[in-house]
Structure formats: C-alpha cells, structure tokens
Amino acid sequence: MLAKVNSCAVIGLDGEVVEVEVDISQGLPAFSIVGLPDTAVQEAKERVRSAVRNSGHEFPLRRITVNLAPADLRKEGPAYDLPIAVGILAASGQVPAQGDAAVFLGELSLDGKLRHTNGILPMVGLARDRGFQAVYVPADDAGEAALIDGIQVVPVSDLVQLGSHLRDAQPIAPFVSTERQPAAEPTSEGLVDFCHIRGQEHVKRALEVAAAGGHNVLMTGPPGAGKTLLARAMPAILPPMTPPEALDVTKIYSVAGLLPQDTPLVQQRPFRAPHHTISHAGLVGGGRHPRPGEITLSHRGVLFLDELPEFPHSVLESIRQPMEDGVVTVSRAQGTVTFPASFMLVAAMNPCPCGFYGDPGKQCTCSATAVTRYQHRISGPLLDRIDIYVEVPRVEYEKLADEVVAEPSADVRSRVEASRERQRLRFSESNLVCNAEMGPVEVREFCQRHLEDEAKSLLRMAMNQLNLSARAFHRVLKLARTISDLGGSDAIGSAELAEALQYRQRGGS
Ligand SMILES: Nc1ncnc2c1ncn2[C@@H]1O[C@H](COP(=O)(O)OP(=O)(O)O)[C@@H](O)[C@H]1O
Ligand SMILES: [Mg+2]
C-alpha cells in the first residue's frame, strides 16, 4: 500500500514543502529511503523503527520504500522522522490515510517521544502560506509554531498519543498560545546598564548617537578602560524590536538551533561578540549545509568585534559587502542562499600592540613602525564604513570612586526611541529605517537642505581645513542629522555639525 504525508524542509532560512511517500510491498524485510537524503535522514530508519515498535504499533516486516520528493532537493536533518513514521502507520493500515490538509514535522527518539526540532518557525510559516490547515509539531516547539497565525498547531508529545489522535480515539487539543502579545518592555536582565559605568560621558554620548541613527562605531583606548563594558551596554539603549523584526530574528535563531526552550519569541535585540579566532564561515555563514553566521545572528542587533586588528584580514574583508547590502550570500553546491545581515557594528581596539600609545599616564613600549603597522591592519574600506570614532581614555580614580549614579540606560533609550520615531516619519515613503542608511539623494534632501547658515560656513571651513573627502562629507551630514534628531529639531545648527565633525577625528578620510 502507498501512503503520502506532507512535511517541510528548510533551505537557508526558507521553508520548502517535501512530500513523503511510503510504499509497503511484498518481499523480504527491507527499509530504504531515497530522494537525496543526508546521513541524519538515513539514520531516521533506526529511530523510526524503534519509535514505532516502542509506542505499541507494529513495524511491518515487509519491503518498505520511502521517497522524499522533490528528488533534486537535498534533505537534511532529523525533521522527517515524524512524517516517515506516520506514513508507515498509514501505509500499513494502522491509522487512516492522511489527506492533504496537514503537515508533520519532528524528530523522534527511540521510545517514540518527539524531540525539539530546529527550524520549526520557517517551516510552519511556509505551511500556512501554502494553505495547509494544520501542522503537527513536537509539543516542546508548539509555542514557537504558534507565532504563525492562521494555521492550527497540534502539539504531539509521542507516537502513542498521535496514534490515538489519528484514529479519532482520543483527539489532541490544538495548541492555544497564552502569550500572543509580545511584552512591550524588553527585559534588561543580564545587560550592562549605563548607570554602572563611571565617567566616560563622551563615549556614552557617542554610543547614544550611534544607537539613534544606526551608525557603526569604533572605540579606541588602552586595556581596562571599559571598552568591552561600554559595548555590552549597547543593546539596552536600542529601541525594542517591532513584532515583524522579532519574528525575523526568531526565524534565524530557530534555524540555527539557538532558540532557548522557554522563549518561543526572541524579543531582545541580538548582541553577538565573536572571538577573533572565528572562521570565515563562522562569521559570514556557510558550510556544506549553509548555516547562518555571526553577522546573520546579529541581524537587527549589534555585532561587537572586540580587539578588531586581531581579526584576520580576510575575515574582516568579508563583512564589508554585507555591511553595505544588509544581506549576505553564501554559495553552496546547489546554487546560493541569502541570509539577512543588517547589523550595527561596534568595534573596539587598543591604539597599539602594548595598548598605551597616547596614554598620558603610562609609557608606550612599541616602536613607531609597530604602531603604524597595527593601525593599518584594518583596511581603509572597512574604516570608511564606520561613522563614529571615539577615544576611550582610562577613567581617573576620582570618577571611579565617585558615588554619583550615572543616568540609567532606560532614560537614554527613551531619547533614542524618540529620535527613531522622527526617522520613521521621515522615511515612511521609502524602505529606509535609520539615518545611517541614507544615500546621496536623501542626504541632499534631509540633511543639506536643513543646514543653518552658520553650520554651512562651518562645514565649508572644515571641508577645506580637514581636507575631507566626498564620502566623509556625507557621513558628517548624516551624523549631524542624527544629532539634531536627538535634540528634537529639524534644522541642523553649527553645534550639531561640530559634534558630528568631532566623531570623524581618526584618519580624517
Ligand atoms: N568606567 C568604568 N566604570 C566602572 N567599571 C569600569 C569602568 N571601566 C572599566 N571598568 C571595570 O574594568 C573592567 C575591564 O574593563 P573592560 O571593558 O574589559 O576594558 P577594555 O575592554 O577597555 O580592556 C570592567 O569589567 C569593569 O569592571
Ligand atoms: Mg576589552
């Protein structure tokens, strides 16, 4: 007898319908899976056999052939266990034939229980888009599946329960999500709060400007000055994610297998801090079955590259294109996959190998050539994509010992949110999100036109004296736009422009 069951695959971040056909025919007992399955799918045979037996069903001692269609799509991972098991039960008449209304997803363990499976969110999204009415998922993943509206989610804990459900003996109640509405306030648990960081007021201000306009930042300073600490405080001053953004990020974490069990929806903006020994594929994504890299895991959030010059040149070069495009394309054996990668870069570095070049209190022991070589490890084109350079000096004892509590991150965040709101209104006609994304046309319309006279003459002077390039000219204007937005003003005055110029102090290009 032949049975057909629908299931899904994930390619990159997108789902794809896979039809599982099970044929049971006369002949010596055999079990084969065809249709480009990888090793994890081949191993499904052993899991399905034990799971079927251990859940009180009979495993047919006949010739079983499983075909996964379309045949040209490489099938990966263990999510096909459940549809294969259901197909065997249907083909052997132990449960009724499954129509075309439902999709089955999930990995089985040997005792017939369903286990957490990666990529549930994109697969359920696809099932809904293709008009399926119900989706059977592991009970552990029901919360994640229920983030998709318009499709019934049936939580399955094991094959025994599913068997009686399909025979209509004891139906499983569809999953009803209890926490549909995302919490308005993101939790600040585990995040560094600005109020615990002493001094460094100008760095905090620079980070606030960066967060407001989505600008990339590079912090330079001696070891122990607090660069890492300041970077870690960044997520708490960023505005909360919108529901579509949260869903996008959750999809990425679901496919990468990084979704925590008790949080079906990621609501905290990502903060990723990969070590400088990271591989190329680890950072940009890739592998035989392409997986999202760190730049995709920081989509809509912060990518923090600490000790920037220590990263291999080739690795740093590979993030240039994604920084421009907001997406990364990874090649694989069959074509390419595209992952989203729209992140804010926060980088930190010491000014020289010993770390004390330019420090007023401690002598730098590096030779002049060593300092230059160190600073030149980061290529010009990458530096060009950084809007804000900020020095992080050592904090004086008085400030560290001070009992005064600094401004909490929540206050900074509300200013950032207000300025983002101004940007949202400004860009409501286009698909830009923040000032950093403006192109030359928008710079002319939204920045140059709003310059006050005094600011214009200051800009002319700076262009001549600092020898600024055309690119630097645009960056300064975009930064000035963000600073004015933070102040709640449309016009760009000389004070805002002067602050923007000051963030361009390094390299001058
Ligand atoms: N401004 C500061 N206020 C409070 N603690 C600080 C400050 N700067 C540094 N520290 C302390 O010093 C430690 C080291 O700082 P870190 O951020 O790792 O420095 P860096 O990355 O610049 O080498 C921090 O974990 C923190 O305990
Ligand atoms: Mg550090």
Side-chain angles (χ1 to χ4, degrees), residues 93-108:
Q94 300 180 70
V95 301
Q98 295 305 304
D100 256 342
V103 166
F104 292 82
L105 312 166
E107 176 182 345
L108 285 169

Side-chain angles (χ1 to χ4, degrees), residues 218-220 308-309 349-351 371-372 374-380 383-384 386-391 468 501-509:
L218 172 62
M219 293 184 278
T220 311
L308 190 65
M349 64 182 282
N350 295 336
V371 174
T372 321
Y374 192 73
Q375 296 192 343
H376 281 189
R377 278 206 210 157
I378 308 157
S379 75
L383 288 177
D384 261 347
I386 292 173
D387 295 345
I388 300 182
Y389 301 119
V390 57
E391 302 275 336
L468 293 184
L501 281 166
Q502 167 212 311
Y503 295 134
R504 297 289 318 168
Q505 283 307 312
R506 182 187 203 266
S509 70

Side-chain angles (χ1 to χ4, degrees), residues 3-9 16-21 79-80 82-84 86-87 90 95-106 123-124 126-137 150-156 162 165-166 172 174:
K4 268 191 199 169
V5 178
N6 291 304
S7 188
C8 284
E16 187 89 48
V17 172
V18 170
E19 223 173 56
V20 178
E21 298 172 321
Y80 303 105
L82 182 63
I84 293 173
V86 171
V95 301
Q98 295 305 304
D100 256 342
V103 166
F104 292 82
L105 312 166
M123 294 196 277
V124 176
L126 172 91
R128 191 262 323 261
D129 294 345
R130 292 294 165 85
F132 288 100
Q133 283 147 27
V135 57
Y136 291 78
V137 298
I151 187 165
Q152 193 180 64
V153 174
V154 184
V156 184
L162 183 64
H165 170 84
L166 294 177
I172 306 173

Side-chain angles (χ1 to χ4, degrees), residues 175-434:
F175 183 80
V176 184
S177 176
T178 46
E179 40 167 348
R180 271 273 14 157
Q181 285 306 315
E185 280 288 290
T187 53
S188 47
E189 255 173 75
L191 293 180
V192 179
D193 198 295
F194 267 8
C195 69
H196 301 309
I197 304 177
R198 311 271 168 200
Q200 309 292 28
E201 301 306 335
H202 70 292
V203 187
K204 292 183 192 170
R205 168 68 184 175
L207 293 181
E208 177 178 338
V209 173
H215 302 283
N216 299 320
V217 200
L218 172 62
M219 293 184 278
T220 311
K227 302 182 294 295
T228 306
L229 192 69
L230 283 154
R232 291 199 177 278
M234 198 73 198
I237 63 166
L238 284 166
M241 289 197 283
T242 62
E245 284 178 337
L247 213 53
D248 278 354
V249 173
T250 306
K251 207 162 131 180
I252 295 168
Y253 280 73
S254 168
V255 169
L258 294 175
L259 204 58
Q261 190 103 109
D262 50 349
T263 26
L265 184 66
V266 179
Q267 298 193 26
Q268 194 77 59
R269 279 191 192 271
F271 179 89
R272 304 292 299 181
H275 190 248
H276 55 71
T277 52
I278 190 168
S279 70
H280 183 274
L283 190 69
V284 300
R288 208 158 65 85
H289 306 312
R291 281 167 53 84
E294 291 292 335
I295 60 171
T296 298
L297 294 173
S298 29
H299 181 58
R300 303 282 174 219
V302 174
L303 176 69
F304 176 46
L305 300 184
D306 207 353
E307 314 289 351
L308 190 65
E310 305 294 337
F311 282 82
H313 187 72
S314 62
V315 167
L316 289 185
E317 290 304 289
S318 60
I319 66 169
R320 264 169 50 190
Q321 201 55 42
M323 278 171 77
E324 208 84 325
D325 304 340
V327 294
V328 60
T329 304
V330 178
S331 349
R332 62 201 289 267
Q334 303 153 307
T336 55
V337 284
T338 302
F339 292 122
S342 173
F343 57 86
M344 225 181 103
L345 177 68
V346 177
M349 64 182 282
N350 295 336
C352 66
C354 83
F356 293 99
Y357 179 74
D359 190 287
K362 202 160 170 175
Q363 188 70 34
C364 168
T365 56
C366 309
S367 68
T369 43
V371 174
T372 321
R373 202 178 322 123
Y374 192 73
Q375 296 192 343
H376 281 189
R377 278 206 210 157
I378 308 157
S379 75
L382 180 66
L383 288 177
D384 261 347
R385 287 167 174 77
I386 292 173
D387 295 345
I388 300 182
Y389 301 119
V390 57
E391 302 275 336
V392 185
R394 253 180 317 144
V395 233
E396 305 94 50
Y397 169 76
E398 287 72 29
K399 289 233 170 97
L400 273 182
D402 204 347
E403 283 301 314
V404 181
V405 175
E407 189 181 27
S409 294
D411 293 5
V412 181
R413 190 175 72 222
S414 58
R415 286 198 297 272
V416 169
E417 278 174 36
S419 83
R420 286 275 177 137
E421 180 60 20
R422 295 179 67 86
Q423 297 171 56
R424 202 181 60 75
L425 294 175
R426 174 175 309 139
F427 301 132
S428 56
E429 307 270 293
S430 63
N431 54 6
L432 301 184
V433 176
C434 52

Side-chain angles (χ1 to χ4, degrees), residues 9 11 16-21 33-38 41 66-76 80 332 334:
I11 309 297
E16 187 89 48
V17 172
V18 170
E19 223 173 56
V20 178
E21 298 172 321
I33 300 180
V34 297
L36 277 189
D38 78 348
V41 180
V66 176
N67 180 35
L68 306 175
D72 60 349
L73 180 78
R74 181 163 281 285
K75 320 298 183 308
E76 311 155 5
Y80 303 105
R332 62 201 289 267
Q334 303 153 307

